[in-house]
Amino acid sequence: MRKGGRELLSLALIDARNHTLHLFSQFQNALEGVNFEVPQLATVNPPVWELGHVGWFQEWWISRNLQRALGTRCEPDHARLASLEPNADRWWDSGQVAHDTRWSLALPDVGSSRAYLLDTLESTLDLLGKIGNQDESDDALYFYRLCLFHEDMHGEAFAYTAQTLGLPLDKPLRAAFTPPPVAVREPLLIPATVWQMGSAASTGAGFVFDNEKAVHALRVPEFEIDAQPVTWAQYVEFVGDGGYDRQELWHPGGWEWLQIAARGEGRRGPRYVEQISLGSGAVLQTRFGQPVRMQGGQPAMHMTWWEADAWCRWAGRRLPAEVEWEVAAHTAARRGFRWGDVWEWMGTTFRPYPGFAADPYLAYSQPWFGSHKVLRGASFATRARLKHPKYRNFYLPERDDIFCGFRSCSP
């Protein structure tokens, strides 16, 4: 989809909107009776606000954007056309509407929000259809691709918000959002190489996120990396060996986090875990409001970067660097390197690549450099078209509500 043309993009944008509305219907089934009231948490948005924001973002960057044909050369703050909804910017502009204030906004009702999403999509598709075959350049299609991927990201946000709130999902979604168990394979030895890190932003290269630019060579020594993310069976061994009580295994910041979490939650395992049987290795984890016995071969998930780092220290290993993960994803798939079941914490702090320049959506990467950790891969809730071995996800190290796990490296 990074190179998707006009017709493919049109179908994908319709699919993304249908997926958004289907996910939102899960919230509607569970929360409409309480007027969609949800706790004010730093890790989620009010569901009705998130729904409107998806439509606003698309309208802001496409139908209201007089410079949309310029692609990355678009001026971020140029004057926009008026919105279909007079209050749109006051309600849904995430750059101007502080997170904590989103619970107190007098938002339109669900019917009006759905109508806004229908109208904005119709406008988007109409403008996309007017692009001639000879004009299907990366610049001309840049914002259509950006808005598609943005909506896919919010689709996953709806999924982890449902998990955070303990909302039930319909049977097909529950099945789709369950990572399969895998047989643990021996770690893979990856030979030393010089790797071209980053994505090319040249003519015809397709869509590239700004934090992937620019291409630069890195010398990578030989290393060993797990063939798959760490499983529940492997993680339970760490818990059974007193991993949550041994300060020497933890980064100082992680130990500090753990003391706070232990006082508040009695933390002795990843988030949502209700019970760990050290004898049998069984793990009971709440998934979308229901306690589920996790299988030993499933990837362990919903742990912070701190917990992932502590497990690696306990095992005498370490979290992989971004470049190591990327080399393995590109070169070792036929040897059994498996990714895409859970997001994977890297040992790397989120920083710009050499030559970085922010794209028009200024708030996407630049504000988070230096404070966030990188995750690579994808999860079961990530749309297939968003999955890419160059893609860089990023969250604060204490986040554990997302569908995240990890794998380890040596030396």
Side-chain angles (χ1 to χ4, degrees):
M1 278 309 307
R2 290 184 172 213
K3 293 186 177 181
R6 183 184 56 182
E7 292 187 7
L8 188 58
L9 272 171
S10 178
L11 294 173
L13 286 161
I14 294 170
D15 172 72
R17 189 55 48 87
N18 288 338
H19 186 64
T20 296
L21 292 172
H22 179 57
L23 288 168
F24 184 78
S25 71
Q26 311 297 302
F27 289 82
Q28 198 163 0
N29 293 338
L31 298 173
E32 193 166 31
V34 294
N35 198 29
F36 293 92
E37 290 185 7
V38 298
Q40 184 171 325
L41 303 172
T43 55
V44 303
N45 283 306
V48 179
W49 184 92
E50 189 133 25
L51 184 69
H53 170 74
V54 167
W56 174 88
F57 187 93
Q58 190 175 104
E59 188 188 28
W60 176 263
W61 287 112
I62 297 178
S63 63
R64 298 176 61 188
N65 181 3
L66 294 171
Q67 297 184 10
R68 60 182 172 272
L70 298 180
T72 56
R73 293 176 290 117
C74 166
E75 298 170 1
D77 297 324
H78 75 276
R80 294 301 205 277
L81 295 174
S83 171
L84 295 169
E85 167 50 62
N87 293 304
D89 296 343
R90 185 169 64 85
W91 287 335
W92 298 310
D93 183 348
S94 55
Q96 302 300 322
V97 181
H99 182 267
D100 289 350
T101 68
R102 296 170 190 173
W103 275 260
S104 59
L105 293 170
L107 296 171
D109 61 25
V110 170
S112 299
S113 298
R114 284 177 171 271
Y116 176 69
L117 261 69
L118 177 63
D119 291 341
T120 52
L121 179 61
E122 184 178 354
S123 176
T124 292
L125 296 177
D126 181 57
L127 291 168
L128 179 59
K130 291 177 180 177
I131 297 176
N133 292 332
Q134 67 278 10
D135 297 325
E136 288 190 76
S137 66
D138 287 338
D139 279 342
L141 298 177
Y142 174 83
F143 286 108
Y144 297 93
R145 293 166 177 166
L146 173 67
C147 290
L148 171 66
F149 294 139
H150 174 266
E151 185 155 358
D152 285 342
M153 293 176 201
H154 278 275
E156 184 156 356
F158 271 121
Y160 70 67
T161 297
Q163 168 70 355
T164 298
L165 300 177
L167 301 185
L169 300 179
D170 61 31
K171 189 174 181 180
L173 279 177
R174 287 201 311 273
F177 291 169
T178 300
V182 297
V184 175
R185 304 181 62 156
E186 289 297 315
L188 304 170
L189 186 65
I190 308 297
T193 187
V194 175
W195 186 252
Q196 297 299 314
M197 195 73 164
S199 299
S202 56
T203 301
F207 182 89
V208 178
F209 288 99
D210 63 4
N211 60 53
E212 296 172 13
K213 296 182 280 189
V215 174
H216 56 290
L218 290 179
R219 191 173 300 277
V220 185
E222 179 183 83
F223 65 97
E224 180 187 273
I225 190 168
D226 294 338
Q228 64 285 307
V230 167
T231 65
W232 280 116
Q234 293 171 309
Y235 198 85
V236 167
E237 293 183 33
F238 165 72
V239 178
D241 198 31
Y244 281 82
D245 298 303
R246 296 167 56 184
Q247 184 174 356
E248 72 273 14
L249 298 176
W250 292 76
H251 184 287
W255 185 252
E256 182 181 357
W257 166 84
L258 180 60
Q259 303 321 296
I260 296 171
R263 288 196 297 270
E265 309 169 24
R267 188 77 169 230
R268 283 297 179 269
R271 191 172 186 181
Y272 308 119
V273 168
E274 304 299 330
Q275 182 180 338
I276 296 178
S277 174
L278 301 179
S280 66
V283 175
L284 194 68
Q285 188 174 46
T286 298
R287 304 203 67 245
F288 303 107
Q290 299 295 320
V292 176
R293 178 168 175 160
M294 309 307 292
Q295 299 183 50
Q298 286 177 297
M301 63 177 176
H302 289 305
M303 70 281 297
T304 62
W305 186 90
W306 307 119
E307 290 165 291
D309 178 67
W311 186 96
C312 289
R313 292 170 186 240
W314 167 81
R317 295 173 71 81
R318 60 176 174 81
L319 290 170
E322 277 192 87
V323 66
E324 292 170 327
W325 189 96
E326 190 172 305
V327 169
H330 279 89
T331 66
R334 292 184 179 179
R335 295 167 54 201
F337 187 85
R338 180 187 176 96
W339 64 275
D341 293 323
V342 290
W343 290 104
E344 300 176 35
W345 287 112
M346 299 291 102
T348 316
T349 297
F350 184 49
R351 301 191 189 281
Y353 288 165
F356 170 83
D359 282 345
Y361 179 26
L362 298 177
Y364 180 63
S365 301
Q366 198 163 243
W368 320 116
F369 289 140
S371 60
H372 288 46
K373 294 293 185 180
V374 174
L375 299 100
R376 284 300 193 103
S379 83
F380 49 79
T382 309
R383 304 307 301 276
R385 56 180 164 253
L386 188 58
K387 296 180 180 181
H388 196 282
K390 296 279 188 180
Y391 182 75
R392 307 174 78 197
N393 204 350
F394 47 94
Y395 282 97
L396 289 168
E398 62 265 27
R399 289 291 292 269
D400 53 12
D401 55 307
I402 56 176
F403 304 118
C404 54
F406 67 99
R407 75 179 74 215
S408 68
C409 259
S410 179

